[in-house]
Amino acid sequence: MLYRCLAILFGLVLLIGSAFALSIPAKPGNYINDYASLLSPDTVQKLDQQLQQVEKQTTNQIVVAIFPSLENESLEDFTTRLEDQWKIGREGKDNGILVVIFVKEHEVRIEVGYGLESVVTDALAGQIIQ
């Protein structure tokens, strides 16, 4: 009986925790995705055009997502889930870079596809963030 109650309690904790998790938006069609309304529409358009040119010239995709807050989520867990769902980069090349910014926490994370890991190493990504 005790184990059953503990299992139910554990299930409720998981359910409540997931109810407050930061939701992942559908995969966008743009390169700059400002969910925090931090940038002006003109800035978003200019940056989007620049990143579109990068993809045309190199086939590498760089996508930026700006969120108002992590909402008590784990930075690593959320950005990994976001990258898994959005699948940045070309299929078979895995040549995408996802830059995720959380305004309230002043946090930035760069997720790099396997096809670009030799170019954008963890050390370089760290330098870019700094």
Side-chain angles (χ1 to χ4, degrees), residues 5-16:
C5 288
L6 288 174
I8 291 171
L9 182 60
F10 181 70
L12 286 173
V13 168
L14 287 177
L15 182 64
I16 291 169

Side-chain angles (χ1 to χ4, degrees), residues 100-114:
V100 187
I101 301 166
F102 297 95
V103 177
K104 181 180 176 186
E105 293 83 2
H106 304 280
E107 292 281 356
V108 178
R109 183 162 172 97
I110 299 174
E111 294 286 339
V112 179
Y114 291 120

Side-chain angles (χ1 to χ4, degrees), residues 2-120:
L2 176 64
Y3 292 116
R4 188 176 194 182
C5 288
L6 288 174
I8 291 171
L9 182 60
F10 181 70
L12 286 173
V13 168
L14 287 177
L15 182 64
I16 291 169
S18 65
F20 291 106
L22 182 59
S23 63
I24 296 177
K27 183 176 182 175
N30 298 325
Y31 299 90
I32 302 294
N33 304 279
D34 185 5
Y35 303 106
S37 300
L38 188 66
L39 306 173
S40 71
D42 187 49
T43 300
V44 170
Q45 182 182 15
K46 286 178 184 176
L47 290 171
D48 214 66
Q49 289 172 348
Q50 289 175 350
L51 292 177
Q52 183 179 28
Q53 282 302 112
V54 168
E55 184 176 6
K56 282 183 183 178
Q57 293 171 356
T58 67
T59 75
N60 300 329
Q61 270 185 356
I62 301 172
V63 174
V64 178
I66 304 169
F67 293 93
S69 173
L70 261 169
E71 298 180 18
N72 297 318
E73 281 266 358
S74 159
L75 175 67
E76 293 80 10
D77 290 346
F78 180 78
T79 55
T80 300
R81 288 188 297 125
L82 184 65
E83 207 290 318
D84 286 346
Q85 186 166 329
W86 284 7
K87 300 192 185 320
I88 307 302
R90 300 233 174 140
E91 191 173 341
K93 285 189 162 193
D94 200 10
N95 60 341
I97 296 174
L98 175 62
V99 179
V100 187
I101 301 166
F102 297 95
V103 177
K104 181 180 176 186
E105 293 83 2
H106 304 280
E107 292 281 356
V108 178
R109 183 162 172 97
I110 299 174
E111 294 286 339
V112 179
Y114 291 120
L116 289 175
E117 282 186 336
S118 63
V119 178
V120 182

